Amino acid sequence: MRERVVAACDGASKGNPGPAAWAWVVADESETPDRWEAGPLGRATNNVAELTALERLLAATDPAVPLEIRMDSQYAMKAVTTWLPGWRRNGWKTSAGKPVANQELVVRIDELLDGRSVEFRYVPAHQVDGDRLNDFADRAASHAAVVQEAAGSALGSPEPPPAPDTPAKAPRRKAPTARKGGGGSARTIKAKFAGRCLCGRSYAAGESIAKNDKGWGHPECRTAAAG
């Protein structure tokens, strides 16, 4: 029996509410995506999709094996790590006395967590060189939301494609000669995801970025840092 299983889950809603889906992925011992599943939800909110993804992952894994779950949803993360105990004590009502949103899913998740060793880890979404498992789950959920069809390793489905609103990865090209006074290549690529440069300013998906000594950022900031 494995000592620990590492997994990720994510939900997507194209419109919030809109066409929605959930997805989860379990890694092998080298933390490479091994088995996964995604499913459509019809029209639903992003919060419903996120909670459903977590519920399906918990139901699909062995409760006897410690589990690490990587998520990019602050709502789902806080629901299970911060708010859930209070909701349970209050009879599934908020501190304001109102019924907990998505109560059926929350109660089911609470039941699946009972007696299990589960560590929740928040990972930022859509980062250049971000978490591989989270990216896989994100792509799987996004694709299932668009096509509204089930997919997964058990169905023989291919690896999920990039999200429709994510620019394709720029083709590899030979790096040009470094500029005078350089300190590295001047090669730029199109950012697959939005991120933040070392200068503190953000850059958008599709914007040109270049490698610097701390990661990726604006080409001009790479040059300035190198100088």
Side-chain angles (χ1 to χ4, degrees):
M1 180 181 293
R2 291 173 61 177
E3 295 183 357
R4 183 187 67 149
V5 169
V6 179
C9 61
D10 204 1
S13 175
K14 306 301 181 179
N16 198 26
W22 53 270
W24 56 259
V25 56
V26 172
D28 61 18
E29 294 182 359
S30 65
E31 296 197 3
T32 299
D34 182 29
R35 64 185 183 95
W36 61 282
E37 186 176 358
L41 287 171
R43 182 179 175 83
T45 65
N46 190 65
N47 286 347
V48 167
E50 297 282 4
L51 290 175
T52 301
L54 174 58
E55 185 268 332
R56 298 299 176 92
L57 171 60
L58 291 170
T61 48
D62 186 350
V65 180
L67 180 64
E68 176 187 312
I69 301 178
R70 299 175 183 177
M71 309 170 66
D72 63 29
S73 169
Q74 300 240 17
Y75 164 75
M77 176 74 74
K78 288 182 178 179
V80 296
T81 63
T82 304
W83 303 327
L84 196 151
W87 288 342
R88 189 193 311 114
R89 288 194 302 270
N90 293 339
W92 303 110
K93 294 184 183 296
T94 67
S95 57
K98 297 181 179 180
V100 171
N102 309 310
Q103 180 176 322
E104 185 176 339
L105 277 169
V106 173
V107 172
R108 173 61 175 156
I109 288 169
D110 185 46
E111 292 172 348
L112 289 167
L113 286 172
D114 186 37
R116 295 185 65 159
S117 174
V118 180
E119 175 187 352
F120 292 93
R121 177 182 163 194
Y122 176 75
V123 292
H126 311 307
Q127 299 294 304
V128 175
D129 298 327
D131 183 80
R132 182 178 182 184
L133 295 179
N134 174 254
D135 175 67
F136 192 104
D138 176 78
R139 289 185 286 119
S142 181
H143 184 65
V146 172
V147 301
Q148 286 294 293
E149 293 180 359
S153 51
L155 297 176
S157 305
E159 180 173 322
D165 53 355
T166 301
K169 188 176 292 185
R172 287 186 174 275
R173 292 181 295 177
K174 184 178 180 181
T177 305
R179 297 176 182 174
K180 186 176 181 180
S185 168
R187 183 173 69 92
T188 63
I189 65 170
K190 297 293 185 182
K192 183 177 180 182
F193 304 115
R196 188 171 297 277
C197 178
L198 58 80
C199 71
R201 293 181 293 121
S202 61
Y203 54 83
E207 186 176 343
S208 293
I209 56 174
K211 187 79 170 180
N212 57 60
D213 59 354
K214 295 184 182 299
W216 291 89
H218 305 108
E220 61 271 23
C221 297
R222 183 208 62 80
T223 305

